[in-house]
Each structure stands twice: as structure tokens, then as C-alpha cells.
Amino acid sequence: METYNFTQEEKYAAAQKRVKYIKGFYVHATIYLAVNLIIIAGNSIDNADSLLMLNPYMTAVFWGIGLFAHGLSVFGKNLLFGPDWEEKEIQKILRK
């Protein structure tokens, strides 16, 4: 089993990269909210009945799927397989 000893600079660079990804997600989410509020508000000004239709929400739905995927890529890397999952599975197999 290999053990990695990361230097302080490597840890800092990894943390800096992670913060950049998180910031990118928050910018994406902010733009998503702003644009979709403008689209929905613009449609309701033109026609108040349009709020009951599906069309004004389609951009939000499909873009929301993309935003969800972006969120998973940033925050969900270890959602199913946590950092210790692989080691736990190896130990479980070795015990058998």
C-alpha cells in the first residue's frame, strides 16, 4: 500500500483548486436564478396566464438539470464512495 506525503504547497494548491470549483458553482447558481427570474417575470408581464403554462419554466427545468449535474461534480464526488470506502472494502475482502 502506497502512502502519499503531500507538501504544504500541494495541499494549498489542491485547496485553492477546490475553492475555485465551489465558487464556479455558486456563480452558475446565481446566474441561473437571475436569468430564470427574468424569463418568468417577463412572461408574466406579457401574459399573466402564462404562469400557469409550462413554457416559461422549461428553461429553468433543463438548465436546472445541468446545474444539478454541476453541483454533483463539485460537491458529490464522495457521495457514494467516500474517501475511506476503497480501503474499507479492501479490508473486508482480506478478512474473508
Side-chain angles (χ1 to χ4, degrees):
M1 186 164 134
E2 297 179 35
T3 304
Y4 297 103
N5 292 321
F6 294 105
T7 65
Q8 204 60 19
E9 292 85 19
E10 291 170 329
K11 289 178 184 177
Y12 184 82
Q16 194 174 29
K17 187 176 181 181
R18 176 96 174 114
V19 168
K20 184 178 177 183
Y21 288 144
I22 293 170
K23 181 181 175 186
F25 174 75
Y26 287 143
V27 168
H28 186 182
T30 302
I31 293 170
Y32 168 83
L33 287 173
V35 168
N36 285 295
L37 284 173
I38 291 168
I39 289 171
I40 293 169
N43 280 324
S44 69
I45 290 171
D46 290 342
N47 182 5
D49 293 333
S50 71
L51 289 176
L52 301 175
M53 291 188 245
L54 195 58
N55 281 350
Y57 305 106
M58 293 311 291
T59 302
V61 168
F62 289 113
W63 190 354
I65 293 169
L67 182 63
F68 178 74
H70 187 180
L72 280 180
S73 74
V74 173
F75 299 110
K77 289 181 179 169
N78 297 323
L79 195 59
L80 296 175
F81 305 108
D84 298 330
W85 177 84
E86 191 173 316
E87 184 61 33
K88 288 178 188 175
E89 289 298 309
I90 291 170
Q91 293 305 321
K92 192 187 305 183
I93 291 170
L94 287 175
R95 277 183 260 147
K96 289 183 180 180

